[in-house]
Amino acid sequence: MGKIRSAIVTTIVVVAIVAAAFFAVVSFPYRGGTYRWNSILSVIPLGSEFSGDAECVIYPEGIITEAEYLLYSEPPDKSDYDSNDEEKYTDAVENVQDFVDRYETELGYGLRIDSDEYDVDEKNIDETLAEIKENVKSDAETISKRLGKMNFSSYSVSVVNEYGLKISVPTGYTYSDMRHEDYLNEESSSATKLSQLSSVVSAIVLDGELTICVSDSNYGFEPADSDLEYYPITRKTDSMSDYIKSVRTYSRGGSDALRFKLTTDGRKLMADSTNELLDSDDPTLYFCIGSDVLMSLSIDSMIDSKKFYITISDELGAKSYAAVLDSVVNGEVVNYSYSSEDPNSESISLTANTMQSGQYAALAMALVALVVLIVLCAISVAIYKKLGWLNVAMLLLFSLLMIYVVYLLKIEITIASMLCGMLCLGVFAGTNFLVFENVRGCVNEGNVMQNAVKNGYKKNRAGILDAHIILFVIAFVLYLVGKGALSASGLILTFGFVISYLMYWFTRFMWYCCSSPQKDKFKYCGFKRRVVDDED
């Protein structure tokens, strides 16, 4: 390759590395400080080790805390009512007394139970409480399975006080979120994420079976649940597993959707129902879990295929809906309707249990990774001179590619994922060092540089390919069978080993580009050619 072509290729690669590095690690204001560009690294979600957890404690409807009991059992103040509102005051007193009578039974742990909701007379109370405890344990397992389908890096569902559930998920805060002192302010992006997580958990814990309904009784059947305001398109005796095989998330072009895979009977049901709905005043399908409407689909044409899609506004929402729907279709139903232990909260809301030092812990791990990179770069330059600088560029490019992969795949940064990234970097660096030493060996045998590079790469080509294939398969299996952080680690390793092998060949190409114009190619690589004398 000529000097001009070599210079052009080298310049393009260097500019690309510098630009990628700049946007990956540098944050800066623009438009007079009105807006701010946050670096790629600063907007990657952090795992719970760095950003903490979002938690909530919930109890089945009809079981309340002492704090809620005291709040609603306080007699009304007559001075709050006008003389003309005697009837309203009397009703308020009766309502409070009714509440007190219903929740007179104490469970311990500062909890009370509704005697109208549960059979808690002296004869049946032990049996009733044993059944509640068993159902709560069953619900913990079901909810845990649903959260497992969300691909959180970590999560937990545990039974508390025998009758409640404690749910914990990562906050998903980024370094950019946490670097502001007011990152828990109600208007901050962190607060928005916490609100989204609360909506996710509210959907995940929904109880009851799945029914697909319509609003017009002419197009549906009488509901089995008296609290359901809509009319199912299936009979009471039908199971949704007869119609729906699975529900999964589907993403393309930045849009998120649910993909419903139907059975043969399901396809016929959807085709017939949607065709009839086109003549309805409300051509909408309502997807209900128990008596709650999870989402709806407006019908503008007949659905007659094995799959159909419903667009969801955000990725977290799509994942939570898919987790709930797929769970219910497969017979995993939550037994109770749950509410927050907080008496002042009408809906389930999560509280951030953040680590004040989380951002510094993330910085510390980033510095560890940087030190590893610097050490590898220093070894390269010390041993291989100008070739070492080429390898430094390749190591930087590899690191940047890994950062962008993690960003694009929306993988949470955990200690495990960072260690996996460093492992991939080590595999790539080790592969290059092995080849460089092979080339050095060929040079010592008296080969000219061109033949030395050719033979050096050829010497371990099969072994390097086999090693990368084996590592790739192991990583991919880890991704498929693992959950949470284990699955994320497998995904990082999968892409890391693919990038490592591709970069192995790209390094050879860049070696050729950069060394071609050099007069003394041995000096460029830090090699000393050994002259082999012919024997007489």
Side-chain angles (χ1 to χ4, degrees):
M1 179 179 289
K3 290 184 178 180
I4 296 178
R5 289 184 178 180
S6 174
I8 291 174
V9 172
T10 303
T11 301
I12 292 174
V13 172
V14 170
V15 170
I17 292 174
V18 171
F22 179 80
F23 289 108
V25 301
V26 178
S27 299
F28 56 89
Y30 63 98
R31 290 189 181 179
T34 305
Y35 299 94
R36 181 180 179 83
W37 165 265
N38 290 312
S39 66
I40 298 299
L41 271 176
S42 70
V43 296
I44 297 177
L46 300 175
S48 57
E49 303 101 311
F50 304 122
S51 64
D53 294 310
E55 302 174 343
C56 68
V57 175
I58 55 178
Y59 291 97
E61 289 288 350
I63 296 179
I64 63 174
T65 62
E66 191 67 22
E68 185 172 356
Y69 176 78
L70 293 175
L71 179 65
Y72 291 107
S73 62
E74 185 176 349
D77 188 347
K78 192 170 185 179
S79 62
D80 293 336
Y81 295 83
D82 296 332
S83 56
N84 298 327
D85 292 335
E86 185 66 30
E87 185 177 346
K88 290 183 179 180
Y89 173 72
T90 302
D91 289 342
V93 171
E94 290 177 354
N95 289 336
V96 169
Q97 187 58 49
D98 178 62
F99 177 84
V100 170
D101 293 340
R102 284 166 49 201
Y103 285 97
E104 65 177 353
T105 305
E106 298 184 25
L107 299 177
Y109 307 105
L111 301 174
R112 291 175 177 267
I113 189 169
D114 186 351
S115 58
D116 287 355
E117 184 80 18
Y118 302 96
D119 186 2
V120 291
D121 60 38
E122 292 184 1
K123 295 181 180 180
N124 302 319
I125 186 168
D126 291 338
E127 183 179 342
T128 298
L129 296 184
E131 181 183 358
I132 294 174
K133 293 175 185 178
E134 189 63 31
N135 286 338
V136 168
K137 288 181 181 178
S138 175
D139 288 348
E141 294 176 2
T142 300
I143 293 170
S144 182
K145 289 179 181 178
R146 291 180 180 181
L147 287 175
K149 297 177 182 180
M150 293 283 296
N151 293 325
F152 286 120
S153 60
S154 62
Y155 62 90
S156 67
V157 181
S158 57
V159 177
V160 294
N161 299 333
E162 295 189 285
Y163 303 98
L165 297 176
K166 181 179 181 180
I167 300 175
S168 176
V169 296
T171 60
Y173 293 160
T174 67
Y175 178 79
S176 176
D177 293 330
M178 299 181 69
R179 69 185 180 84
H180 299 290
E181 292 183 1
D182 62 341
Y183 71 93
L184 292 179
N185 184 285
E186 292 183 358
E187 298 180 357
S188 67
S189 59
S190 303
T192 301
K193 290 179 181 179
L194 196 61
S195 176
Q196 290 175 338
L197 286 174
S198 298
S199 299
V200 164
V201 172
S202 297
I204 287 292
V205 303
L206 285 176
D207 65 304
E209 302 280 354
L210 167 65
T211 50
I212 303 177
C213 305
V214 293
S215 61
D216 192 334
S217 60
N218 294 321
Y219 300 95
F221 299 96
E222 279 297 317
D225 188 342
S226 58
D227 293 330
L228 187 61
E229 299 178 2
Y230 298 98
Y231 302 91
I233 61 174
T234 55
R235 294 179 176 84
K236 298 178 182 179
T237 56
D238 291 346
S239 171
M240 290 309 299
S241 60
D242 296 332
Y243 302 105
I244 301 175
K245 290 182 179 179
S246 64
V247 184
R248 298 286 188 271
T249 55
Y250 179 82
S251 299
R252 174 173 290 182
S255 299
D256 299 288
L258 298 181
R259 179 175 62 192
F260 288 76
K261 186 178 289 187
L262 305 175
T263 63
T264 301
D265 290 341
R267 178 175 180 176
K268 184 177 185 303
L269 174 69
M270 290 300 294
D272 293 343
S273 299
T274 53
N275 187 45
E276 292 177 358
L277 273 179
L278 293 174
D279 298 327
S280 170
D281 293 334
D282 180 19
T284 305
L285 288 177
Y286 298 90
F287 293 78
C288 303
I289 304 295
S291 59
D292 297 299
V293 178
L294 184 66
M295 60 184 182
S296 61
L297 173 64
S298 297
I299 305 300
D300 53 16
S301 62
M302 182 176 69
I303 297 176
D304 186 14
S305 62
K306 293 181 179 180
K307 299 176 184 177
F308 71 94
Y309 301 82
I310 300 179
T311 301
I312 306 297
S313 60
D314 64 281
E315 183 184 17
L316 267 180
K319 286 183 177 180
S320 63
Y321 289 175
V324 173
L325 291 168
D326 194 65
S327 171
V328 174
V329 165
N330 287 291
E332 298 169 348
V333 179
V334 172
N335 296 292
Y336 296 125
S337 173
Y338 287 87
S339 58
S340 174
E341 68 170 348
D342 183 0
N344 296 311
S345 177
E346 296 182 359
S347 58
I348 295 176
S349 58
L350 275 65
T351 302
N353 181 21
T354 56
M355 298 172 56
Q356 295 299 323
S357 59
Q359 57 179 316
Y360 303 112
L363 274 177
M365 281 301 297
L367 288 175
V368 170
L370 181 60
V371 168
V372 171
L373 178 60
I374 291 173
V375 169
L376 292 173
C377 292
I379 293 173
S380 295
V381 175
I383 298 176
Y384 302 110
K385 311 306 177 187
K386 292 182 179 180
L387 176 61
W389 284 108
L390 170 63
N391 194 45
V392 167
M394 296 300 99
L395 291 172
L396 288 173
L397 181 56
F398 177 88
S399 301
L400 289 169
L401 288 172
M402 291 299 296
I403 289 173
Y404 279 89
V405 163
V406 170
Y407 168 71
L408 292 173
L409 295 178
K410 300 178 181 178
I411 300 174
E412 288 183 353
I413 295 181
T414 62
I415 293 176
S417 64
M418 294 189 75
L419 291 176
C420 287
M422 286 186 273
L423 174 60
C424 294
L425 177 64
V427 168
F428 172 61
T431 301
N432 277 356
F433 288 152
L434 175 62
V435 172
F436 294 167
E437 288 304 308
N438 287 342
V439 174
R440 185 196 296 275
C442 293
V443 168
N444 290 338
E445 292 174 1
N447 287 278
V448 297
M449 198 64 204
Q450 184 177 356
N451 289 336
V453 173
K454 181 179 179 181
N455 294 332
Y457 268 88
K458 185 177 180 180
K459 187 175 181 180
N460 291 106
R461 183 171 58 192
I464 290 173
L465 176 60
D466 290 344
H468 277 81
I469 290 176
I470 293 171
L471 291 172
F472 171 83
V473 171
I474 294 173
F476 191 65
V477 170
L478 189 65
Y479 163 66
L480 291 178
V481 303
K483 296 292 184 182
L486 193 62
S487 178
S489 297
L491 187 59
I492 289 174
L493 291 172
T494 298
F495 276 90
F497 294 140
V498 170
I499 295 172
S500 172
Y501 189 71
L502 295 176
M503 286 294 297
Y504 156 73
W505 287 108
F506 186 67
T507 301
R508 180 177 180 178
F509 170 72
M510 290 305 300
W511 188 352
Y512 168 70
C513 290
C514 294
S515 64
S516 291
Q518 303 294 325
K519 292 182 179 180
D520 189 343
K521 293 180 175 54
F522 297 101
K523 184 177 180 181
Y524 173 82
C525 301
F527 300 154
K528 291 184 179 180
R529 185 182 183 188
R530 177 184 172 188
V531 179
V532 181
D533 297 328
D534 294 332
E535 296 182 0
D536 294 331

